Amino acid sequence: MPHFIATNHNLTFPFTEGDYTFHAEFIHQDFKDQSLIFTTFKDEPFFIIKTTHKNGTLFKAHKATKPNPIGILKDALMLLNKHCDTHSHNLSKNTPKQCVLSPYFLKSNDFICKDFDSYFLEIGFGSGRHILNLAKENPTTPIIGVEIHTPSIEQVLRQIEILGLNNLYITKLDARILTNILKSNSAKGIFLHFPVPWNKKPHRRVLTKEFLHQALRILKPDHILHLRTDDEEYFQDALKLALDEKQSNFKVQKNLSQKIVSKYEARWLKQQKNIYDIYYTSLKMDSTLEFNEDFSFPYTYITKLQKQKYVENDFFVHINAIYTNNNCILINVNLGDFNWPTTKFILIDHQKKQTFFVGNPPLPTLCNIKAHQKLKAILGG
């Protein structure tokens, strides 16, 4: 992770250099040697942590707001570093892949703004062999790839440019959240190939009862979710999920070859491991989802706020940390679903008399909507 350590610094906020604005420094309410520097690159906000280190002061990204590509963060740190006496750093010159903003990389709220109506979805595309072939064979159909492994994302984004594909879009999201907000009856197919089995922590799996329900909802009628796995325990649990569906139509296969073989599958085949396939078919048209939450806040004058946690049956709100400066309160909050929490920052600006989520609001899942209603009650009272 890019960072630097300074023995001395001369930073006064706000200041702007090029496309970067360093707006303000917010001091941790409980730990005065820790702070966050509110930064924007063009219109994209993120936070840089400033904290005490044994060799001076450490500057690094706040992971929950780390910008993409990583070159944006590195350049921001290098601009701050100009105003400091540096003890050490790892701020090497950006490589081309670290600073290219790809039009094929989608952020979470792009799925609210864009009208994806007929597409293929692949979850955990890894090296990209299957999804790249899918895009080449279906040039007029949008392909959405979901991945959380940054090197895999960068690799496939480079291949999109090299191959001249214009129908393949990549996002770094939790697929369990994404499927909660995609339109009903919109996907032509969903591929889940060799997901991490998480047999000791099944709550971390992609394929759960709730995920299967949402996947069948977003699939067009008579279209398929394809699970492919080498893990027998995962397969048995996935089969039970299919059997537990009230209206279930599925097909099971074992050790049948596929046109495209991933590097992981090639490894399993060399080890003579069994490969299992389950094809879940959507049987009906589902009702349309309606998202009416705007995730705004009424402004209320607040002088002090404490860390607190609210846990309900189906959602939670946890105020992790509070930061302050002269005119504002900055709140770091986790919210939403217990297994798929969202981390956000809320800014209470007393000068402008505004309260708002910094950057994009949470995605409009039912858990996030309920958490937002709770937050409005907390901050309004």
Side-chain angles (χ1 to χ4, degrees):
M1 179 73 70
H3 69 273
F4 70 91
I5 299 170
T7 55
N8 190 26
H9 54 83
N10 182 24
L11 295 169
T12 302
F13 304 101
F15 71 91
T16 298
E17 292 198 29
D19 291 325
Y20 291 85
T21 298
F22 301 89
H23 297 271
E25 181 177 4
F26 293 84
I27 310 299
H28 198 295
Q29 184 172 272
D30 299 321
F31 305 100
K32 302 303 182 183
D33 63 338
Q34 296 181 20
S35 62
L36 293 177
I37 300 171
F38 179 25
T39 308
T40 54
F41 171 73
K42 298 181 179 177
D43 293 327
E44 181 174 5
F46 57 98
F47 290 96
I48 294 172
I49 296 173
K50 176 180 164 228
T51 187
T52 300
H53 185 274
K54 64 180 180 180
N55 294 319
T57 302
L58 172 65
F59 295 80
K60 63 178 183 178
H62 190 289
K63 288 185 179 180
T65 66
K66 185 177 66 174
N68 185 283
I70 197 66
I72 295 173
L73 171 64
K74 288 178 68 176
D75 286 344
L77 289 170
M78 283 190 277
L79 290 173
L80 288 175
N81 193 35
K82 287 167 48 178
H83 301 270
C84 303
D85 298 325
T86 305
H87 174 272
S88 59
H89 69 86
N90 67 347
L91 303 177
S92 58
K93 186 177 179 181
N94 279 328
T95 62
K97 70 178 182 180
Q98 291 178 324
C99 55
V100 174
L101 283 166
S102 173
Y104 300 104
F105 181 81
L106 300 180
K107 298 178 183 178
S108 59
N109 280 61
D110 290 332
F111 291 95
I112 305 299
C113 303
K114 290 181 181 291
D115 186 22
F116 287 106
D117 193 43
S118 186
Y119 56 89
F120 289 105
L121 173 66
E122 180 164 350
I123 298 164
F125 52 75
S127 64
R129 291 182 186 178
H130 181 268
I131 199 169
L132 289 166
N133 183 72
L134 189 66
K136 286 188 284 187
E137 290 192 341
N138 299 273
T140 61
T141 300
I143 315 294
I144 301 171
V146 183
E147 181 59 74
I148 60 173
H149 185 234
T150 299
S152 296
I153 291 172
E154 292 175 344
Q155 178 178 332
V156 171
L157 286 173
R158 288 197 297 274
Q159 287 299 311
I160 289 172
E161 299 291 341
I162 291 170
L163 297 173
L165 300 173
N166 60 11
N167 63 326
L168 177 52
Y169 302 91
I170 304 302
T171 188
K172 188 176 184 179
L173 278 175
D174 189 318
R176 298 167 298 185
I177 295 177
L178 178 61
T179 50
N180 273 266
I181 65 164
L182 289 172
K183 289 173 58 176
S184 299
N185 319 301
S186 60
K188 296 173 69 174
I190 303 174
F191 302 93
L192 180 58
H193 291 177
F194 302 99
V196 178
W198 290 114
N199 290 329
K200 293 184 179 180
K201 297 180 179 180
H203 67 280
R204 298 194 67 176
R205 289 176 174 173
V206 173
L207 185 59
T208 62
K209 181 179 180 180
E210 172 61 20
F211 173 84
L212 181 58
H213 173 75
Q214 294 294 343
L216 294 175
R217 178 188 63 78
I218 67 174
L219 279 166
K220 295 176 181 291
D222 300 321
H223 289 69
I224 289 170
L225 162 64
H226 177 203
L227 168 70
R228 188 164 174 82
T229 180
D230 63 292
D231 188 277
E232 185 167 353
E233 182 176 342
Y234 199 107
F235 164 71
Q236 293 291 349
D237 290 344
L239 182 59
K240 185 177 185 303
L241 286 176
L243 291 169
D244 287 344
E245 275 289 307
K246 291 182 179 180
Q247 288 186 314
S248 181
N249 185 358
F250 62 93
K251 180 175 71 174
V252 176
Q253 295 178 337
K254 180 179 177 181
N255 293 334
L256 294 186
S257 60
Q258 297 282 314
K259 179 179 178 180
I260 302 298
V261 178
S262 73
K263 64 178 183 180
Y264 297 106
E265 183 175 354
R267 183 188 304 166
W268 308 148
L269 291 172
K270 285 182 180 179
Q271 296 175 8
Q272 296 186 322
K273 294 184 71 174
N274 290 322
I275 306 294
Y276 304 93
D277 295 278
I278 302 182
Y279 299 86
Y280 306 85
T281 303
S282 174
L283 298 179
K284 59 185 178 67
M285 289 288 290
D286 286 272
S287 58
T288 302
L289 292 182
E290 297 290 341
F291 300 123
N292 298 316
E293 194 76 6
D294 64 2
F295 288 101
S296 64
F297 293 96
Y299 169 75
T300 301
Y301 184 77
I302 298 173
T303 57
K304 193 170 185 180
L305 190 66
Q306 298 297 325
K307 292 191 293 183
Q308 49 198 298
K309 184 184 292 186
Y310 297 88
V311 179
E312 304 292 344
N313 290 332
D314 53 354
F315 76 94
F316 80 100
V317 171
H318 184 193
I319 296 177
N320 293 312
I322 298 102
Y323 301 81
T324 60
N325 72 7
N326 292 333
N327 299 309
C328 301
I329 297 175
L330 182 67
I331 306 166
N332 174 220
V333 60
N334 284 349
L335 58 93
D337 190 284
F338 300 102
N339 294 326
W340 320 319
T342 297
T343 300
K344 289 293 179 182
F345 283 88
I346 300 169
L347 184 61
I348 303 174
D349 189 328
H350 290 316
Q351 186 172 0
K352 296 182 179 179
K353 296 184 178 181
Q354 295 177 339
T355 301
F356 55 90
F357 281 109
V358 178
N360 290 325
L363 290 172
T365 66
L366 184 59
C367 291
N368 287 346
I369 289 171
K370 290 182 177 181
H372 175 240
Q373 294 294 328
K374 185 64 178 180
L375 277 167
K376 287 203 292 187
I378 295 168
L379 300 181

